[in-house]
């Protein structure tokens, strides 16, 4: 149970004043945003869906986790991902481990004023599979399908819901899954009033039907969104009455707005901007770990890369510390396994260092004493292209002539999914804070079928035994034993896989020094607005 939040004064400035404060060129230097509003400059042009059962972008999660409630939540004040009850106040598990009975919290009201009941929860758990957007794969991974969801998700009381899965999964896996946006509880009556012919998908991509800390009052694609506080939120009223997020694509403009006091937070600054702001009065720099990892991978269907010594040599040709300390200072830290720090089963082992001499010896043992030539596909944007160029330089010292092939993100992904690459640079984020989410892509490749959705398949890595162990971890009910399985899987992964994970991302922001409690990222994989306040 979360403690109640301290109550704050009501808004003292109207919407017109807020808008003026947020616009560049309309205020003198050292202007201030209203004390009751949080104004953020950020890149939000990738925000394409506001329906929580459709959205799959980080920027969407930042908005949705502050507007919608899920069945479970993660304590944002803890560094580790500690589960807490959400709309599901408690739950029991049947003797065979397959059926979960959730007790739904009473007294919760949606922003519309409608009372939240078990019927809303049942509607919300069935709907992702019925509209069948990208996030639906998360429910399919635990055996829920469009064909069986009405039978397996059912109301058993005014405030009680039962869900039956196809296996006895680890309870922590189910709880973590139900912290995701896909487990957001919708105001079913409001959605059905605006259902159209797509179960309200189009309407929800511009509106909200929620019960969370803030309600969506305005969304202008590629421009801004505005949230207003829900004074009746069951977890306690948020500190600030309004949140305004403006789309400001240029980092330099974000920095200028922050320096002038026209925004409270600059969300997407470059290392150059961060260096320029360091030590400036009234400006605070902050870093927040994010469950996103950066890697490159080798396509084992390409004959040259089928020799394990060649792939091992490549892992010794990554300047791990140089990328973290010189190329992306403050924006990443070295990390070499697929479970991010703070998630169950994470390890901090780093078996590889930059060692060109060792790489040359490995290439010689593989029959390539004169070196090799490879290509690497990368998105033509920061930071992937910058990392690729850094790899080009570091690999040259070890005898690898690397040609960088930049293209648009869509073009690069299409080539990757078709297994037409040699090396590929990727960034991978957690969909929900459970180790299985990443293990399913990095250490599982079911034999006998094509699995284009899995990173293992895209790189031609056949691993029947590791796949079996990854699947067994899903059903290990003892949390410590489950964590131990993932640690063992990652040890083998680091030794034998065609992946070189080199960093975990963190969100680096600059904000006005009178702002407290704002979190640009959290264990729940989103920004937290409702704890922010101003001194």
């Amino acid at each position: 149970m979360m403690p109640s939040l301290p109550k704050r004064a009501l808004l003292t400035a109207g919407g017109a004043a807020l808008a003026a404060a947020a616009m560049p060129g309309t205020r003198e230097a050292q202007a201030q945003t209203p004390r009751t509003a949080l104004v953020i400059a950020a890149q939000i042009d990738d925000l394409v869906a506001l329906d929580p059962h459709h959205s799959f972008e980080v920027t969407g999660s930042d908005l949705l986790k502050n507007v919608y409630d899920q069945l479970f939540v993660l304590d944002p004040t803890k560094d580790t991902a500690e589960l807490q009850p959400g709309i599901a106040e408690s739950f029991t598990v049947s003797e065979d481990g397959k059926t979960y009975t959730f007790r739904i919290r009473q007294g919760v009201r949606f922003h519309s004023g409608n009372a939240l009941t078990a019927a809303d929860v049942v509607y919300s758990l069935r709907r992702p599979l019925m509209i069948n957007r990208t996030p639906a794969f998360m429910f399919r991974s635990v055996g829920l399908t469009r064909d069986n969801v009405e039978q397996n998700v059912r109301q058993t009381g005014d405030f009680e819901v039962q869900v039956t899965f196809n296996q006895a999964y680890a309870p922590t896996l189910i709880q973590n899954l139900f912290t995701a946006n896909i487990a957001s509880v919708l105001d079913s009556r409001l959605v059905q009033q605006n259902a159209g012919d797509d179960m309200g998908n189009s309407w929800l991509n511009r509106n909200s039907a929620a019960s969370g800390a803030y309600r969506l009052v305005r969304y202008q694609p590629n421009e801004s969104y505005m949230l207003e506080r829900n004074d009746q939120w069951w977890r306690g009223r948020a500190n600030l009455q309004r949140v305004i997020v403006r789309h400001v694509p240029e980092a330099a403009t974000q920095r200028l707005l922050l320096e002038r006091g026209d925004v409270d937070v600059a969300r997407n600054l470059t290392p150059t901007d961060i260096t320029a702001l360091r030590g400036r009065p009234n400006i605070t720099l902050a870093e927040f770990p994010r469950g996103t990892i950066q890697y490159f991978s080798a396509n084992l269907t390409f004959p040259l890369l089928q020799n394990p010594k060649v792939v091992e040599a490549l892992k010794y040709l990554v300047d791990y510390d140089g990328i973290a300390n010189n190329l992306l200072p403050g924006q990443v830290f070295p990390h070499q396994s697929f479970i991010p720090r703070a998630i169950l089963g994470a390890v901090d082992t780093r078996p590889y260092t930059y060692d060109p001499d060792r790489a040359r010896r490995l290439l010689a043992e593989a029959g390539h004493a004169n070196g090799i030539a490879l290509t690497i596909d990368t998105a033509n944007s920061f930071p992937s292209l910058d990392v690729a160029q850094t790899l080009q330089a570091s690999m040259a010292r070890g005898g690898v002539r690397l040609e960088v092939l930049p293209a648009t993100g869509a073009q690069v992904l299409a080539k990757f999914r078709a297994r037409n690459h040699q090396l590929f640079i990727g960034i991978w984020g957690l969909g929900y804070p459970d180790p299985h989410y990443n293990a399913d892509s990095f250490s599982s490749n079911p034999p006998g079928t094509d699995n284009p959705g899995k990173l293992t398949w895209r790189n031609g890595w056949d691993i029947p035994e590791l796949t079996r162990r990854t699947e067994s971890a899903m059903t290990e009910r003892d949390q410590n034993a489950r964590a131990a399985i993932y640690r063992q899987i990652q040890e083998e992964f680091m030794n034998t896989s065609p992946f070189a994970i080199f960093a975990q991302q963190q969100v680096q922001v600059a904000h006005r020094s009178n702002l407290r409690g704002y979190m640009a990222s959290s264990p729940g994989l989103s920004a937290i607005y409702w704890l922010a306040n101003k001194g």
Side-chain angles (χ1 to χ4, degrees):
M1 183 75 185
M2 291 290 292
S4 296
L5 299 174
K7 296 182 178 179
R8 308 293 292 185
L10 292 174
L11 184 69
T12 55
L18 286 173
M23 292 295 293
T26 59
R27 298 178 67 88
E28 300 298 328
Q30 303 306 312
Q32 290 188 346
T33 58
R35 290 178 61 83
T36 54
L38 170 63
V39 183
I40 301 171
Q43 295 171 2
I44 58 170
D45 55 345
D46 62 337
L47 184 57
V48 296
L50 300 188
D51 183 336
H53 300 161
H54 179 182
S55 174
F56 203 54
E57 303 85 27
V58 171
T59 49
S61 185
D62 286 349
L63 184 156
L64 295 170
K65 283 292 182 70
N66 287 281
V67 171
Y68 286 88
D69 285 317
Q70 294 78 36
L71 292 186
F72 294 92
V73 298
L74 295 176
D75 186 344
T77 66
K78 301 290 177 59
D79 291 336
T80 54
E82 294 189 18
L83 283 159
Q84 294 183 323
I87 292 301
E89 195 170 39
S90 62
F91 71 101
T92 59
V93 184
S94 64
E95 190 172 340
D96 68 0
K98 295 182 179 179
T99 297
Y100 286 61
T101 301
F102 298 100
R103 186 67 184 168
I104 305 305
R105 188 178 299 277
Q106 298 188 41
V108 178
R109 288 198 173 274
F110 291 106
H111 301 156
S112 67
N114 291 333
L116 188 155
T117 70
D120 296 298
V121 175
V122 168
Y123 176 83
S124 300
L125 292 180
R126 290 175 175 175
R127 183 175 176 275
L129 292 159
M130 303 309 292
I131 66 172
N132 197 32
R133 295 293 185 169
T134 300
F137 79 90
M138 300 184 200
F139 279 5
R140 288 195 293 269
S141 72
V142 291
L144 297 176
T145 68
R146 192 170 186 168
D147 293 333
N148 69 24
V149 71
E150 288 196 15
Q151 176 184 350
N152 291 340
V153 177
R154 54 199 178 275
Q155 182 175 350
T156 50
D158 290 343
F159 292 94
E160 187 179 280
V161 172
Q162 280 191 350
V163 181
T164 299
F165 301 97
N166 61 340
Q167 294 189 64
Y169 294 107
T172 51
L173 188 157
I174 299 302
Q175 289 176 276
N176 284 326
L177 172 60
F178 283 170
T179 69
N181 285 320
I182 195 174
S184 295
V185 179
L186 306 186
D187 183 340
S188 62
R189 281 168 284 180
L190 182 58
V191 174
Q192 288 168 337
Q193 288 168 10
N194 297 278
D197 59 0
D198 58 3
M199 294 189 72
N201 183 220
S202 300
W203 183 79
L204 278 171
N205 280 333
R206 293 292 182 272
N207 301 277
S208 64
S211 60
Y214 288 93
R215 66 184 180 90
L216 177 67
V217 295
R218 189 184 68 205
Y219 170 52
Q220 296 173 301
N222 300 320
E223 292 186 12
S224 66
Y225 64 78
M226 178 186 288
L227 311 179
E228 187 164 307
R229 184 173 63 198
N230 171 17
D231 288 340
Q232 307 303 317
W233 194 34
W234 62 273
R235 294 174 75 176
R237 200 172 67 174
N239 293 321
L240 297 177
Q241 184 161 354
R242 284 183 179 167
V243 177
I244 299 171
V245 179
R246 293 186 51 212
H247 176 54
V248 181
E250 302 85 7
T253 306
Q254 290 191 18
R255 175 180 146 195
L256 175 63
L257 291 171
L258 180 71
E259 291 176 314
R260 290 167 38 158
D262 286 336
V263 299
D264 299 303
V265 179
R267 186 69 169 71
N268 309 98
L269 297 176
T270 66
T272 300
D273 294 309
I274 291 292
T275 299
L277 289 172
R278 199 175 299 281
R280 294 286 300 274
N282 302 318
I283 302 292
T284 298
L285 303 180
E287 297 165 351
F288 303 88
R290 165 155 275 176
T292 304
I293 57 176
Q294 296 183 354
Y295 69 94
F296 77 80
S297 60
N299 182 356
L300 301 186
T301 67
F302 183 62
L304 176 62
L305 295 169
Q306 290 173 357
N307 189 322
K309 289 186 182 297
V310 172
V311 175
E312 185 180 4
L314 296 177
K315 294 179 181 179
Y316 282 109
L317 290 175
V318 181
D319 187 357
Y320 300 90
D321 291 332
I323 290 174
N325 299 329
N326 302 324
L327 181 66
L328 304 172
Q331 302 198 357
V332 303
F333 53 85
H335 189 77
Q336 296 187 5
S337 57
F338 63 73
I339 297 179
R341 188 182 296 177
I343 302 299
L344 179 73
V347 296
D348 203 23
T349 307
R350 287 192 281 154
Y352 298 99
T353 57
Y354 182 48
D355 191 341
D357 292 336
R358 187 167 182 172
R360 283 186 179 277
R361 290 196 298 272
L362 286 165
L363 288 177
E365 292 171 11
H368 303 291
N370 295 322
I372 58 175
L374 290 169
T375 62
I376 187 164
D377 289 280
T378 177
N380 56 4
S381 58
F382 177 84
S384 295
L385 179 57
D386 305 75
V387 171
Q389 292 167 340
T390 299
L391 290 174
Q392 186 179 46
S394 64
M395 288 192 176
R397 292 185 57 195
V400 176
R401 299 178 297 280
L402 188 63
E403 182 183 1
V404 177
L405 303 178
T408 66
Q411 290 170 330
V412 171
L413 281 175
K415 192 173 179 182
F416 183 44
R417 288 168 176 158
R419 302 206 290 194
N420 288 330
H421 63 291
Q422 294 181 9
L423 304 182
F424 167 86
I425 286 187
I427 297 175
W428 183 264
L430 278 172
Y432 56 89
D434 189 88
H436 175 70
Y437 187 88
N438 278 8
D440 192 43
S441 275
F442 283 98
S443 64
S444 174
N445 187 10
T449 182
D450 288 349
N451 305 294
K454 294 183 184 294
L455 302 181
T456 47
W457 182 88
R458 293 178 190 173
N459 289 287
W461 194 31
D462 296 323
I463 44 172
E465 174 56 22
L466 205 58
T467 298
R468 185 196 65 74
R469 288 160 56 191
T470 299
E471 291 174 351
S472 73
M474 297 177 72
T475 57
E476 175 52 61
R477 300 176 66 79
D478 182 279
Q479 181 154 308
N480 291 331
R482 188 166 181 245
I485 294 174
Y486 284 117
R487 286 193 288 269
Q488 293 166 0
I489 289 173
Q490 288 175 99
E491 182 177 358
E492 181 170 340
F493 169 87
M494 287 186 281
N495 289 333
T496 66
S497 81
F499 297 90
I501 293 172
F502 51 84
Q504 180 176 339
Q505 287 186 325
Q506 54 187 3
V507 181
Q508 189 177 43
V509 302
H511 63 78
R512 302 294 297 183
S513 296
N514 67 331
L515 180 66
R516 304 278 191 276
Y518 165 76
M519 301 177 69
S521 186
S522 68
L525 312 176
S526 65
I528 300 292
Y529 301 150
W530 48 272
L531 289 174
N533 63 75
K534 291 182 176 178

